[in-house]
Every structure is written in structure tokens, then in C-alpha cells.
Amino acid sequence: MTAHPSRVLVLNSGSSSVKYQLLDMADSSRLAVGLVERIGEETSRLVHTPLQGDGAGKREKNAPIADHAAALKAVAEELSADGLGLDSPELAAIGHRVVHGGLRFTAPTVVTDEVLAEIERLVPVAPLHNPANITGIRTAQALRPDLPQVAVFDTAFHTTMPEHAARYAIDVETADAHRIRRYGFHGTSHAYVSRATAALLGKAPEDVNVIVLHLGNGASASAVRGGRCVDTSMGLTPLEGLVMGTRSGDIDPAVTFHLQRVAGMSTDEIDVLLNKKSGLVGLCGDNDMREIRRRIDEGDERARLAFDVYVHRLRKYIGAYYAVLGRVDAVAFTAGVGENAAPVREAAIAGLEELGLAVDSGLNAVRSDEPRLISPEYARVAVAVVPTDEELEIANQTFALVAAGPGEDAVGGLA
Ligand SMILES: Nc1ncnc2c1ncn2[C@@H]1O[C@H](COP(=O)(O)OP(=O)(O)O)[C@@H](O)[C@H]1O
Ligand SMILES: CC(=O)OP(=O)(O)O
Ligand SMILES: [Mg+2]
């Protein structure tokens, strides 16, 4: 028996995927990382990479995985094969990314039946995400009922938004009765990246104002003043804001009435249209920026249009958050597109020299996993590529909470 178990398993369950990492918090090292994708399809794939010891080396399995519960069982088997099974006494906790925590959860929280019920109550406002998170928690509980399961919420970092940024300009009574307001998502990433950006500048988070552009399949921007979020682009649900892989982002809400009245579409059909058949995929048929760039290079007009719409929206948010913050020290690009797509970064910042923003094309072309500046020496505002690490952040928050012990009040402020 280990006196002080120091390992944390992190589960990031998405709508059709599970990303996971096993970390040892004694030295923040990774023991194994992996991904199950295309859950529920014939072409499911599990990629598991043990990172230490004799088992090191990537393993890949291609076989149908019916649902998230089956995915987690497969992950548990892979870990066991490396002697890193969930039965290990060295495991201190399991940390779960939970996308929607409403206003209730402002901090990482040990999962109880009551906490789980609250996460369930929020399913209607995160229908693609919260159900997967709940399955992840339930399956992990079944495998290790004795271990603390900790929920780390995407919404938590954004609960500092001032009322005037969080409130929609609709009837106050209606909004309050149904808890309609802007919550914001990807908060774990925005928190981590804004801190890492301050570190890259050699400053304390309290001393810098940062615009964080989290551009993954889902995408969101945030304005962070002195380490606190003051605005973010996602709203009641992760549909608002930037153009995403399959989501429209901002749209005139009257489009939905029009589709109902004129096109005869149901509410569910419109939901699917805006969440799954819009964004880049709706504009050009592809949601992967690599494929879109390849098509542009071949002269494909639809791919060009999709890219231009994507970048135009991004530029609008950079301008908006510049105005919200007043003074900007850095613009940080992160997540799959932000970290890898140099043409997106270049196009997003082009022509903004009057705002003190510029990108050095040589620096922008460098590929690296490290946080780095891509702005020229003379630029007043730093432009940076700062790889996100939601799993490490979740592990840190999870371990800090369980290490604090049961005396600590685990539940964040009530709203
Ligand atoms: N080398 C690359 N060049 C351009 N875009 C990339 C590259 N690698 C990944 N991406 C983009 O990143 C997206 C995935 O980002 P990621 O942050 O992993 O998303 P999520 O966590 O939402 O699944 C892909 O859909 C693709 O558009
Ligand atoms: C909240 C959200 O959009 O998450 P993801 O980018 O993982 O889909
Ligand atoms: Mg992501």
C-alpha cells in the first residue's frame, strides 16, 4: 500500500470521443495517454500510449465501441495491461471534465449523488457534452466506488464575468426564471492558457490582459483581465460565438423562427442543423482545417469561403475583446487549429498594426509544442502560440482538492 497515493486519472469525455491521461502528481509526469474516437460507429478507434517503463510505445485498436461505458472499460483494460489499472492503490482520484456546471459550480467539486443530479439537470443546455460526462463519472464510480471522483467544470472560470457581459438583453424575469444567461465554456483551457501566456511574458497573471483564442473543433474566445475572465464568446450553450468545426456560432436568432415558419423545420432539426451541420462543415463539407487548407491550395472556392468566414468572425472577436479590455498585453492562440494552423493565425492578425498587433511570418511558420511568441520585436502587443493542456489542469485541480482532505468544503459557491 502506498501511504500517499499521488496518481490521477483524467477523463475528458466528448460527444463521440474520450481523451484520457494518467498522471503522477508527485512530479506531474504522464504515465499514459490515450484517445477513443468515433464511439458508437463501426470505425471506432482506441489509441493508447504508455509513456514509462517497458510498455512504452503506442498501441492502436480498431473495433466497434458501442458507447461511452464500453469505451471506458476498454481504456481500463489497456491501463491494466501496463500494470496501471484502475485497481491500483496509487490512484488518488479520477478527474472528469464536465462541460456545463451552470452558476452553481465555481470550483472543482467532489461528485456526490446530489452533484451528479445537478449535472444531469443541465443536460438540456449542453446536450452534446454533459451526457457523455455523466456516463464517464458513472462508469468510473462503478469501477472504483471507493475513490473520489472530481468534476472540473468548463464553465467555472467564466463565473467571474460581470453581469453586463453575462446577461442577454431579453426580459429579465423570463431570463431569470429559466436561468438564461451567458455561461461560457472551455474555461479550463482559457484559465491554463492565460496563465501560461503570462509566464511566457515573464509576468504574473494579475499583471496581464490576454485575449485567448481556443480554436479546436469547438472554438471560443475570451477576454482575461489580470487572471479573471471578463467576457467570453460562448453563451447559454457552446453554440454561440466563433465559427466552429460543425457549429454556426453567432447567428440572428430570427433565422430559427424563419426555418420553423418558412422551411417547416422542427426545433430538433434546427438544433442538429446549427450544432452539427453548420460552421466549416456546413460551409464547405469539411470540418478539419488541414483538409480545408489542402483544398484551398487546389483552388477550391467553397473551402476558401469557409476559411474566410471563419477568419472574419475571429477578427471581429479580437477587435471586440480589445475594446472590452482597453489594454491588451497578448493574444494567445491555442487548441488544434490555434496551435497548428499558421495561415489562420496570420490571417486573423493581418492588417492590425494600428492596434499594435503583428505576426512575424518566420516565427509563425515554426512548429513546436512549446509556448512561443510569433510577433515581431517591435510589436506593442505579444502574439503567442500557447499549447493548451486541459488534462494537466484538470489533474492539478483534482489533486489539489483531494489532497486538501475531507475537511475542505468541496462544493463551490451557490447561485
Ligand atoms: N496540423 C494541423 N493543421 C491545421 N489544423 C489542424 C491541425 N491539427 C489539428 N487541426 C485542427 O484541430 C481540430 C481539432 O482540435 P482539438 O483542439 O483537438 O479539438 P477538440 O478538442 O474539440 O476535439 C481539427 O478538427 C483540425 O481542424
Ligand atoms: C464546450 C465545447 O465546445 O467543447 P468541445 O470543444 O470539446 O466540443
Ligand atoms: Mg477540446
Side-chain angles (χ1 to χ4, degrees):
M1 249 331 247
T2 314
H4 295 290
S6 59
R7 291 182 184 170
V8 173
L9 176 66
V10 175
L11 297 177
N12 178 348
S13 305
S15 52
S16 67
S17 70
V18 177
K19 293 179 188 170
Y20 61 94
Q21 289 191 8
L22 179 67
L23 298 99
D24 192 334
M25 303 318 290
D27 56 2
S28 292
S29 63
R30 287 180 167 78
L31 301 172
V33 305
L35 163 76
V36 187
E37 53 187 0
R38 296 191 288 274
I39 295 169
E41 296 178 37
E42 286 300 305
T43 58
S44 315
R45 186 167 80 118
L46 186 154
V47 183
H48 174 82
T49 312
L51 295 170
Q52 293 178 1
D54 296 342
K58 194 191 257 189
R59 298 202 292 275
E60 195 173 320
K61 285 192 178 155
N62 294 284
I65 294 180
D67 52 31
H68 280 77
L72 285 185
K73 288 190 182 118
V75 169
E77 280 168 24
E78 291 301 323
L79 289 166
S80 286
D82 297 322
L84 299 170
L86 264 72
D87 53 354
S88 164
E90 291 178 73
L91 204 55
I94 302 179
H96 301 263
R97 176 189 182 208
V98 178
V99 164
H100 214 313
L103 275 189
R104 155 90 183 263
F105 301 109
T106 59
T109 301
V110 173
V111 177
T112 61
D113 289 347
E114 196 261 329
V115 167
L116 203 51
E118 182 67 12
I119 297 171
E120 188 118 50
R121 204 183 58 78
L122 291 160
V123 164
V125 278
L128 301 181
H129 296 93
N130 272 31
N133 306 151
I134 292 166
T135 306
I137 293 171
R138 287 226 168 92
T139 308
Q141 277 178 332
L143 292 168
R144 274 305 292 272
D146 58 315
L147 272 192
Q149 311 284 333
V150 175
V152 177
F153 297 92
D154 258 40
T155 40
F157 182 62
H158 302 301
T159 54
T160 55
M161 269 196 290
E163 178 81 2
H164 56 254
R167 205 168 257 287
Y168 289 112
I170 63 172
D171 172 68
V172 169
E173 279 74 32
T174 306
D176 290 353
H178 300 285
R179 300 188 219 212
I180 295 170
R181 53 166 264 145
R182 309 187 57 257
Y183 293 93
F185 301 90
H186 296 137
T188 305
S189 177
H190 287 286
Y192 177 87
V193 170
S194 58
R195 265 193 279 113
T197 304
L200 181 67
L201 301 183
K203 296 192 174 162
E206 303 77 58
D207 296 331
V208 294
N209 293 349
V210 188
I211 298 173
V212 179
L213 305 169
H214 175 107
L215 311 177
N217 231 326
S220 63
S222 69
V224 182
R225 176 181 289 132
R228 289 165 70 87
C229 176
V230 293
D231 205 350
T232 194
S233 60
M234 284 178 165
L236 173 72
T237 79
L239 181 54
E240 191 179 343
L242 299 175
V243 176
M244 312 184 207
T246 65
R247 294 172 232 163
S248 64
D250 293 336
I251 194 168
D252 180 344
V255 169
T256 60
F257 323 144
H258 188 80
L259 288 171
Q260 282 174 340
R261 291 180 187 136
V262 178
M265 288 176 74
S266 70
T267 307
D268 286 347
E269 285 168 343
I270 297 170
D271 192 331
V272 171
L273 176 78
L274 298 182
N275 272 300
K276 298 199 163 163
K277 298 183 179 171
S278 296
L280 294 171
V281 93
L283 288 164
C284 76
D286 272 308
N287 63 342
D288 194 308
M289 193 53 81
R290 283 165 288 204
E291 186 59 17
I292 290 171
R293 289 306 309 176
R294 198 191 57 71
R295 285 173 55 186
I296 291 172
D297 290 343
E298 289 176 349
D300 187 314
E301 294 289 332
R302 298 246 329 243
R304 177 85 245 170
L305 176 66
F307 182 86
D308 290 347
V309 173
Y310 184 95
V311 168
H312 181 70
R313 184 82 52 82
L314 194 53
R315 290 168 64 85
K316 289 213 275 192
Y317 271 92
I318 294 170
Y321 289 171
Y322 207 115
V324 165
L325 290 169
R327 189 202 83 220
V328 178
D329 298 295
V331 175
F333 287 89
T334 196
V337 176
E339 290 167 30
N340 296 297
V344 169
R345 299 192 296 255
E346 187 186 325
I349 301 295
L352 301 182
E353 288 82 4
E354 288 289 327
L355 296 178
L357 286 163
V359 163
D360 177 294
S361 51
L363 293 174
N364 193 31
V366 173
R367 298 193 66 85
S368 159
D369 293 334
E370 295 298 315
R372 59 200 183 272
L373 291 176
I374 57 169
S375 43
E377 289 276 334
Y378 66 80
R380 210 157 22 85
V381 179
V383 181
V385 180
V386 181
T388 192
D389 199 336
E390 288 165 290
E391 285 77 17
L392 178 63
E393 179 76 11
I394 291 169
N396 277 327
Q397 294 193 15
T398 297
F399 193 63
L401 184 62
V402 298
E408 196 77 349
D409 180 9
V411 179
L414 288 182

